[in-house]
Amino acid sequence: MATFLHRLGTAAFRHRVPVVVVWVLLLALAGAGAATLAGKTVNTFEIPGQESTTALRLIGKEFGDDADGASAQVVLQVPEGQRITDPQNAAGVAAAVAGLAALPGVVGATNPLDPAAPVVSPDLRAAYSTVTYAVAPPEITEAQRAALLAAVDDARAGGLTAEVTGDATQGVSQIGGPAEVVGVVVALLVLALTYGSLIAAGMNLLTAVVGVGIGALGITTLTGFVDLQSTTPVLAIMLGLAVGIDYALFIFTRFRHELLAGRTVAGAVPAAVGTAGSAVLTAGATVVIALVGLAVAGVPFLTEMGVAAAATVVVAVLVALTLVPAVLGLVGVRALSRAARRALSPGGARHAAAEAPAGPGSRGLFAAWGRTVTTRRWASLGLAVLVLGVVAVPVASMRTSLSTAWPEGSTQARAQEILSDRFGAGVSGPLLVLVDGEGAPERAAGLVTRLQGLDGVALVTPATPNRDGTAALVTVVPTTAPDDEATTDLVHRMRDLVRDDADGATPAYVTGQTAVSVDVSATLAEALPVYLVLVVGLALVLLVLVFRSIAVPVVGVLGFLLTIGAALGATTAVFQWGWLKDLVHAESTGPLLSLAPIIVVGILFGLAMDYQVFLVSRMHEAHAHGEDPVQAVRTGFRQAAPVVVAAAAIMFAVFAGFVPEGDATIQPIAFALAVGILADAVVVRMVAVPAALSLLGPAAWWLPRWLRWLPTLDVEGTALERTRAG
């Protein structure tokens, strides 16, 4: 592998101008595609084939396309001591409903005071109108959403308390904004401090931006042909920017090392790609395995997210292996600091070469850190495990749901509060029972009585048949909130009741957005252990091939388990328990989004293995050059630790930048990734791994005889050294 990458680096260096031009043209082409072909993203989470999803499709077929349209609930409340049915208040309600019905895009607005179907709270203080649109939630325009909010303001002007909630009020995650800017600025500062050269820092950042730009614009173009989740482009940008900067950093650093060792630019570029490029390719492959492995969950929208993010990582790897060496060929020795360039001037080269083998950080903090961790290995390992174990404790109480809470203080949150207070906690997440087939109205009428007898049911509406009487809908309002575990239990009890009352000619289904959430959450929870086994197994095989060792991959994976525990534990404490939520600008608290844990596991596993590969490959390289096991760990740590810390600082900044500005979906995911990177780089890779490898001694690099037939991937570039020596 190192030999092939050395040749690739040589070709990129020799044809550096055409390579740069090709990448710029690809970026321009991706931009043109995004500008002309992009479509809208979606916010719906469904799994084809599940009962709830199948039933929703049947409702749309049997009751008309409007069943799939967006909706909003406009809640109207009067002061204490008044009734919503009083003549003056009733007139205000009627005026509000008339205004809602006339809004652009609205196909209907129910009158909550209609005697035929009143929707009034038991204490007569509140009522709500359901506003229905002809299009799905992602198709609602900002102008239509603004008109809805303006109509609610008009209702307030009439003396009523008016708030609005529902999927029609929810915007989509936007690409671009302060989050990316914060991450880029911090990355530039870290790179400038690491390199001591603004030119090197700028070129490193520029190559990463080209890669993430192509990836993100390509995904944006794809939205014109495929329904992608609104969070998919944001996740791709977040991950692509982080790995793009880091992969370029690895190669830039090795290039500088080779220059300081006395190589010419023409020799340093291929050498950097052949050595650090091997680590980049291996690390990138691990990330791609982890992301594509999300397909094992069998959830289409999750698979799309994983494949899209993996494609962005593939672009980042290709940029690192081709565009970066081309740019290095153009930059040359200007990638070094002024002091290093003076050392390479005539008369100073021998001095630079003498210092090069130790690499950056040979004296000072990282050297002392490495000696301390490998000397007091038991204490270091125990302390690392204890700290991360304590942070992971909240995982035991982690709850997930497909719905996310509205930001505190928003009109949606105030509307939900009024609905819960006046109508009950379950009114915002009603369950639907669909009876389909001949005789559906009669069977549905029989189910109404039985459903009313279930614990946890607050209200069951009469059966509503479709026009030709071949289907009927029953609405069940739970006594508990949609994200309450008791509501999940109620869904299962309702399905048991429906199955017990089964009739082959008229099947019945339990659905509604709450039931969809229950189904998706259950599917993801069942898939997570399978996903972990698959991805960890594949990564173990890859790392065994890279390091020709059993212990190193096992240590890396066990360290990752500590990382993921700490990441999810901290996220649970902040976004579910509410600890320090103001510090991260968390707008609401409650169960984590169902897809968050599996996405965090997938991304963090790949990134953790990045650091494992880069750090341990330098230790392996030192051991292969004859150093004893403990000294090899110290040497590799001294050489790689500064780069790993810089890379982690950049990734942390990128992910953390999305926390205060992100929406309710992105915030906890970005927070978990930021905490995970911090825990993995600082505690696991900088403390636990070197301590564990020092404890293992020679056994760390042992490979059973019966596995020695495995191919050698040569990440450290041993073949290149033999070639040069020959």
Side-chain angles (χ1 to χ4, degrees), residues 62 459 528 709:
E62 299 291 351
L459 174 68
L528 184 57
W709 57 270

Side-chain angles (χ1 to χ4, degrees), residues 24-47:
V24 171
L25 288 176
L26 287 175
L27 179 61
L29 185 62
T36 58
L37 301 175
K40 292 182 181 264
T41 55
V42 300
N43 279 332
T44 54
F45 299 96
E46 297 176 355
I47 302 178

Side-chain angles (χ1 to χ4, degrees), residues 482-505:
D483 58 7
D484 196 302
E485 292 182 7
T487 305
T488 301
D489 295 337
L490 176 61
V491 171
H492 295 312
R493 292 200 306 276
M494 287 175 60
R495 285 176 172 162
D496 291 340
L497 185 152
V498 167
R499 277 194 294 270
D500 292 342
D501 192 57
D503 181 347

Side-chain angles (χ1 to χ4, degrees), residues 321-385:
L321 298 180
T322 57
L323 179 59
V324 168
V327 168
L328 288 175
L330 295 173
V331 172
V333 295
R334 287 175 295 174
L336 297 173
S337 65
R338 290 182 180 179
R341 290 201 299 271
R342 285 195 297 269
L344 287 179
S345 62
R350 285 192 301 273
H351 172 70
E355 289 188 354
S362 58
R363 293 180 293 273
L365 174 63
F366 291 106
W369 188 334
R371 285 193 301 271
T372 300
V373 170
T374 54
T375 300
R376 301 179 179 178
R377 55 199 78 166
W378 278 113
S380 298
L381 182 59
L383 182 62
V385 173

Side-chain angles (χ1 to χ4, degrees), residues 569-634:
T571 305
T572 300
V574 172
F575 289 91
Q576 182 177 310
W577 293 0
W579 290 9
L580 303 177
K581 68 183 183 72
D582 293 335
L583 188 64
V584 298
H585 293 184
E587 296 180 329
S588 59
T589 57
L592 303 183
L593 190 67
S594 299
L595 55 86
I598 196 167
I599 287 178
V600 169
V601 167
I603 294 177
L604 274 184
F605 183 80
L607 299 181
M609 293 305 103
D610 278 6
Y611 299 143
Q612 179 77 358
V613 168
F614 194 78
L615 180 68
V616 180
S617 63
R618 300 305 293 265
M619 298 175 181
H620 193 199
E621 183 179 352
H623 184 259
H625 286 141
E627 295 189 15
D628 68 77
V630 174
Q631 186 57 43
V633 170
R634 291 175 179 173

Side-chain angles (χ1 to χ4, degrees), residues 430-528:
L431 299 167
L432 302 176
V433 177
L434 171 67
V435 182
D436 189 38
E438 295 295 333
E442 292 77 13
R443 186 188 172 200
L447 281 173
V448 168
T449 303
R450 299 188 62 188
L451 290 168
Q452 285 174 332
L454 290 177
D455 290 336
V457 172
L459 174 68
V460 181
T461 66
T464 303
N466 64 350
R467 292 180 180 177
D468 57 8
T470 57
L473 269 180
V474 176
T475 301
V476 178
V477 178
T479 58
T480 50
D483 58 7
D484 196 302
E485 292 182 7
T487 305
T488 301
D489 295 337
L490 176 61
V491 171
H492 295 312
R493 292 200 306 276
M494 287 175 60
R495 285 176 172 162
D496 291 340
L497 185 152
V498 167
R499 277 194 294 270
D500 292 342
D501 192 57
D503 181 347
T506 54
Y509 312 86
V510 177
T511 185
Q513 290 305 316
T514 300
V516 171
S517 175
V518 169
D519 289 344
V520 173
S521 298
T523 299
L524 292 174
E526 293 170 1
L528 184 57

